[in-house]
Amino acid sequence: MLSQDNLRAALEFRREREWQQFHTPLNLAVAISVEAGELLEQFQWSLPNEVRPTDAQREAVEHEIADIAILVAYLANDLGIDIEQAVKRKLVLNAKRYPLEKARGSARKYDQI
Amino acid sequence: MLSQDNLRAALEFRREREWQQFHTPLNLAVAISVEAGELLEQFQWSLPNEVRPTDAQREAVEHEIADIAILVAYLANDLGIDIEQAVKRKLVLNAKRYPLEKARGSARKYDQI
Amino acid sequence: MLSQDNLRAALEFRREREWQQFHTPLNLAVAISVEAGELLEQFQWSLPNEVRPTDAQREAVEHEIADIAILVAYLANDLGIDIEQAVKRKLVLNAKRYPLEKARGSARKYDQI
Amino acid sequence: MLSQDNLRAALEFRREREWQQFHTPLNLAVAISVEAGELLEQFQWSLPNEVRPTDAQREAVEHEIADIAILVAYLANDLGIDIEQAVKRKLVLNAKRYPLEKARGSARKYDQI
């Protein structure tokens, strides 16, 4: 998550502003939830048949996704988590939890299939 | 966000299980909020002096971060959003919103500094 | 929100367990977000035509709603907020923001109608 | 949750605006999460020593609490859930999950005490 260039720029952005003091793991998790809420707000009150976002929604979604990506990158950096390794491991775990024959076409959670 | 390898694996994982039908933008935004809530839960009820996560918390955080990264990658993919470009643009915007002299050491939002 | 009896019982439950120390406004807001995420999880991956919850979903929703109601009551109590008065005032504000002729049948936010 | 007067006013507010069509259980759960995120935003980036909210924060919190209370009341109404009964039952369940001798002064979850 985040190219080396983007991660470096994001960390430098934070360092220059002396914002690490506010970036406890709790506060970063709070900020990620706040941004996830703002992302969700873009689709609030949409009717079942409105599956395609408008251009304005798409633009707003792009901003929210960027915010989430930056905050997640900060949290992972601060806790020494390698996101790409974590994703790789999670995909392996998910493949076990959701075997093809059981999970195909089903939206059930792994403990209910 | 997500290396080409991880993104390819995540998309293949979804395609094999025929889960695209559940992945409307709304549903992905819902799932991201749910995972952000699970991430936040790891820090629930922590006292101000408990800033360092335990090993168990860190492990759980790693899983939640992976979930968020995968879901955000799906949403970006489906809406044709380039996350790295979005992050780059957002950092430029944030640099304007939070000029060094005003933002240094301050946790205020850009419209309040 | 919450009858006098339920509020008294909820406050007594907390006092006996000496949990006020964990109930900073931030921590209560965190807990409300976590519970809102668990509520949302009940409807995760639902398809547009699945508008009626199952009995199991309804039961889970009941639990999550109770959790949210209790936590919101704690937060309001601690900050000296009268929820019924706040709701009354909000409904008056919303009536101004969403005049009948503009808002009828529209899901738009008040600053976009 | 919500006095009979406030509930009646909130339902009438919705009926007049013909908003029931947007109020699927999923959409209401989404809206509750969005509002919980806005509530959480009031405490974003706060430092451990900032436990008392400012007047502006308190005012904003009051609005968000009202929004959550109204939305939760809609959801409960639509699913035929009696919030006061649900809270009563939840407090009984919590008393079993968190017996005094084990839970006093501890922030651990019931499955970890």
Side-chain angles (χ1 to χ4, degrees):
Chain A
M1 193 134 128
L2 293 207
S3 65
Q4 283 305 311
D5 275 4
N6 268 337
L7 178 59
R8 205 176 302 121
L11 289 172
E12 174 68 8
F13 180 89
R14 173 169 82 164
R15 202 193 51 71
E16 286 178 336
R17 281 159 190 78
E18 302 171 8
W19 283 356
Q20 299 102 309
Q21 60 184 313
F22 307 113
H23 286 198
T24 59
L26 166 62
N27 275 358
L28 286 170
V30 162
I32 291 167
S33 250
V34 169
E35 297 299 335
E38 294 182 4
L39 172 63
L40 195 54
E41 195 185 359
Q42 303 308 317
F43 302 103
Q44 209 179 5
W45 307 128
S46 60
L47 290 174
N49 57 330
E50 300 168 337
V51 288
R52 298 306 312 167
T54 62
D55 280 357
Q57 275 178 312
R58 204 186 151 289
E59 171 88 6
V61 167
E62 192 167 319
H63 280 279
E64 302 307 340
I65 281 182
D67 285 333
I68 294 173
I70 293 169
L71 290 164
V72 168
Y74 283 149
L75 180 59
N77 175 79
D78 295 354
L79 297 182
I81 291 170
D82 180 326
I83 300 182
E84 297 294 349
Q85 283 301 319
V87 165
K88 198 172 286 185
R89 275 198 290 269
K90 194 63 192 255
L91 287 172
V92 170
L93 177 64
N94 282 346
K96 279 185 203 146
R97 284 180 169 175
Y98 298 96
L100 272 183
E101 62 278 13
K102 282 192 176 175
R104 192 181 288 122
S106 161
R108 293 184 182 217
K109 224 182 154 178
Y110 67 91
D111 50 7
Q112 293 169 352
I113 58 174
Chain B
M1 192 135 128
L2 294 206
S3 65
Q4 283 305 311
D5 276 4
N6 268 337
L7 178 58
R8 204 177 303 122
L11 290 173
E12 174 67 7
F13 180 91
R14 173 168 82 164
R15 202 194 52 71
E16 286 178 335
R17 280 160 190 78
E18 302 172 6
W19 282 357
Q20 300 102 309
Q21 59 183 312
F22 308 113
H23 286 199
T24 59
L26 165 63
N27 276 358
L28 286 169
V30 162
I32 291 167
S33 250
V34 169
E35 297 299 336
E38 294 182 5
L39 172 64
L40 195 53
E41 194 186 359
Q42 303 308 317
F43 302 103
Q44 209 178 4
W45 307 128
S46 60
L47 290 175
N49 57 330
E50 299 169 336
V51 289
R52 298 307 312 166
T54 63
D55 280 357
Q57 275 178 312
R58 203 186 153 288
E59 171 89 5
V61 167
E62 192 167 320
H63 279 279
E64 303 307 340
I65 281 183
D67 284 335
I68 294 173
I70 293 168
L71 290 164
V72 168
Y74 283 148
L75 180 59
N77 175 79
D78 295 354
L79 297 181
I81 291 169
D82 181 326
I83 300 182
E84 297 295 349
Q85 283 303 318
V87 166
K88 198 172 287 186
R89 274 198 291 268
K90 193 64 192 254
L91 288 171
V92 171
L93 177 63
N94 282 347
K96 279 185 203 146
R97 284 181 170 174
Y98 298 97
L100 271 183
E101 62 279 14
K102 283 192 174 174
R104 192 182 288 123
S106 161
R108 292 186 183 217
K109 225 183 152 178
Y110 66 92
D111 49 8
Q112 294 169 353
I113 58 176
Chain C
M1 195 134 126
L2 293 206
S3 65
Q4 283 304 311
D5 275 4
N6 268 337
L7 179 59
R8 205 176 303 122
L11 290 173
E12 174 67 7
F13 180 91
R14 173 168 83 164
R15 202 194 51 72
E16 286 178 336
R17 281 159 190 78
E18 301 172 9
W19 282 356
Q20 299 101 309
Q21 61 184 311
F22 307 114
H23 286 199
T24 60
L26 166 63
N27 276 359
L28 285 170
V30 162
I32 291 167
S33 250
V34 169
E35 297 298 336
E38 294 183 5
L39 172 63
L40 196 53
E41 194 185 359
Q42 303 308 317
F43 303 102
Q44 210 178 3
W45 306 129
S46 60
L47 291 175
N49 56 330
E50 299 168 336
V51 288
R52 298 305 313 166
T54 63
D55 280 356
Q57 274 177 313
R58 203 185 152 290
E59 171 88 7
V61 166
E62 192 167 319
H63 280 279
E64 302 307 340
I65 281 182
D67 284 335
I68 294 173
I70 294 168
L71 290 163
V72 168
Y74 283 149
L75 180 59
N77 174 79
D78 295 355
L79 297 181
I81 292 170
D82 180 327
I83 300 182
E84 297 294 349
Q85 283 301 319
V87 165
K88 198 172 285 186
R89 274 198 290 268
K90 194 63 193 255
L91 287 172
V92 171
L93 177 63
N94 282 347
K96 279 184 202 145
R97 284 180 170 175
Y98 298 97
L100 272 184
E101 62 279 14
K102 283 191 175 174
R104 192 182 288 123
S106 161
R108 293 185 182 217
K109 225 183 152 176
Y110 66 90
D111 50 7
Q112 293 169 354
I113 57 176
Chain D
M1 193 134 129
L2 293 207
S3 65
Q4 283 305 311
D5 275 5
N6 268 337
L7 179 59
R8 205 175 303 123
L11 290 173
E12 173 68 7
F13 180 90
R14 174 169 81 164
R15 201 193 54 71
E16 287 177 336
R17 280 158 191 79
E18 302 172 6
W19 282 356
Q20 300 102 309
Q21 60 184 313
F22 307 115
H23 285 199
T24 60
L26 166 63
N27 276 359
L28 285 170
V30 162
I32 291 167
S33 250
V34 169
E35 297 298 336
E38 293 182 6
L39 172 63
L40 195 53
E41 194 185 0
Q42 303 308 317
F43 302 103
Q44 210 179 3
W45 306 128
S46 60
L47 289 175
N49 56 331
E50 299 167 339
V51 287
R52 297 306 313 166
T54 63
D55 280 356
Q57 275 177 312
R58 203 185 151 291
E59 171 88 6
V61 167
E62 192 167 319
H63 279 281
E64 303 306 340
I65 281 182
D67 284 334
I68 294 173
I70 293 168
L71 290 164
V72 168
Y74 283 149
L75 180 59
N77 174 78
D78 295 354
L79 297 181
I81 291 170
D82 181 324
I83 300 182
E84 296 294 349
Q85 282 301 319
V87 165
K88 199 171 286 185
R89 275 198 290 269
K90 193 63 192 258
L91 287 172
V92 171
L93 177 63
N94 281 347
K96 280 185 202 146
R97 283 181 169 173
Y98 298 97
L100 272 183
E101 63 278 15
K102 283 192 174 173
R104 192 182 287 122
S106 161
R108 293 186 181 215
K109 225 184 155 177
Y110 66 92
D111 49 7
Q112 294 170 352
I113 58 174

